Amino acid sequence: MAEGFDLDIENDHARIVTVRGAGNNRRPARRWPGMRIDIWSDIACPWCYIGLARFEQALASFAHRDGVEVRLHSFQLDPGLPEVYEGGEAEYLASRKGIPVEQARQMFAQVAEAAAGDGLTMDFDALSVANSRRAHRLLHAARDVSPQAAWDLERALFGAHFTDGESIADAEVLVRLAVEAGLDAEAARAALDDPERDAQVAADIAQATRLGIRGVPFFVLAEKYGISGAQPREVFGQALTQVWDELHPVVQPLAVPGLEGFGGGAACGPEGCD
């Protein structure tokens, strides 16, 4: 597993609920006994597409997947990018990093090869360079519908951007993808330029800064351990198991003379008493 570190997650982001007892009395409920995973990513990030696909594969084969809550968070690699960039992805990266265009194309070829190994198609020549802010606002609207809607929309946005050459700043593209993910069309369109949704995006980015997150994808497991980058799915699988076992320890038999395993003494069980 990648090296972990303690994280200071603010209370308003923790999964804490309040239940009503008799009358007007209230008491804090126990924390949900599963495992929460927070993921920061940017739609414009190819390694985020690959990393989330690998994580999804690891989660699908995880024995306790039904007990895992995944929450997606926004991050922007280039907030100052114009809504529509006049140029291709290679020209954009070359100008941003100060490298030759051919070197940028070679980098894309390597990323596309890695993506193909995970069943993903990336067409950097057809890619429409655009600011991802609108897409992130829409993702927050989807998150309010359900975690699954947000996940489905994020996957669709990655496909539209990296495979289909569609603009992730185009309102019609975004609304169509949102509806396919289960959102209401009018609500989706309203979210694209909603100041409240934009504030939610900004809050995610600010939280990432407080946590020291400088690159994406970034995965936070159980509000405690951080994994950076598009790790192999085997690494994600090991991390899920390790953190789950830490959160849900299994009682071990006590190793003392005369006591072997859990036996040795009279007891009662589902089948009756000794």
Side-chain angles (χ1 to χ4, degrees):
M1 177 180 172
E3 183 179 358
F5 57 93
D6 291 333
L7 294 171
D8 181 18
I9 303 289
E10 293 187 342
N11 288 334
D12 60 348
H13 289 279
R15 188 184 175 95
I16 300 174
V17 297
T18 300
V19 296
R20 294 183 183 274
N24 294 323
N25 294 330
R26 297 184 183 181
R27 63 178 177 83
R30 293 180 59 188
R31 281 180 78 83
W32 179 62
M35 178 168 66
R36 173 172 153 182
I37 300 175
D38 294 270
I39 305 174
W40 274 263
S41 62
D42 188 5
I43 302 302
C45 165
W47 286 112
C48 291
Y49 192 13
I50 297 171
L52 266 69
R54 291 175 178 175
F55 172 80
E56 185 176 22
Q57 292 167 4
L59 183 60
S61 61
F62 182 53
H64 307 288
R65 58 187 176 275
D66 291 340
V68 176
E69 176 197 20
V70 178
R71 184 170 298 188
L72 300 174
H73 297 272
S74 299
F75 192 93
Q76 277 201 290
L77 296 171
D78 186 4
L81 180 67
E83 189 168 291
V84 177
Y85 178 81
E86 297 298 333
E89 179 75 348
E91 288 76 18
Y92 164 71
L93 184 65
S95 64
R96 182 167 172 78
K97 288 187 171 290
I99 60 175
V101 171
E102 185 54 37
Q103 183 179 345
R105 291 198 176 99
Q106 292 173 359
M107 293 169 62
F108 292 149
Q110 294 172 355
V111 175
E113 183 179 358
D118 289 285
L120 305 175
T121 300
M122 290 192 177
D123 187 348
F124 287 97
D125 291 333
L127 190 149
S128 177
V129 185
N131 193 300
S132 62
R133 192 77 173 201
R134 275 183 144 187
H136 282 296
R137 297 185 193 117
L138 190 59
L139 280 168
H140 274 274
R143 200 170 81 175
D144 285 353
V145 173
S146 72
Q148 187 62 51
W151 189 271
D152 290 345
L153 178 57
E154 179 137 331
R155 189 192 300 111
L157 286 165
F158 278 128
H161 184 59
F162 287 107
T163 304
D164 301 331
E166 296 187 285
S167 173
I168 54 173
D170 185 282
E172 299 309 315
V173 171
L174 293 172
V175 171
R176 188 192 80 238
L177 296 177
V179 170
E180 291 173 357
L183 279 71
D184 173 78
E186 291 186 9
R189 194 175 297 277
L192 298 181
D193 299 300
D194 185 352
E196 292 186 8
R197 296 299 182 190
D198 195 72
Q200 292 174 329
V201 175
D204 271 359
I205 296 172
Q207 187 183 10
T209 300
R210 290 194 300 271
L211 297 176
I213 297 172
R214 297 184 178 181
V216 287
F218 199 95
F219 305 78
V220 178
L221 283 68
E223 305 175 54
K224 185 177 182 181
Y225 297 107
I227 300 177
S228 177
Q231 300 289 342
R233 57 180 175 272
E234 293 79 11
V235 172
F236 285 126
Q238 293 168 11
L240 288 167
T241 298
Q242 181 173 326
V243 177
W244 181 275
D245 290 347
E246 179 184 312
L247 295 174
H248 307 85
V250 177
V251 176
Q252 300 294 327
L254 187 63
V256 298
L259 180 63
E260 298 180 359
F262 290 103
C268 294
E271 304 301 324
C273 298
D274 295 336

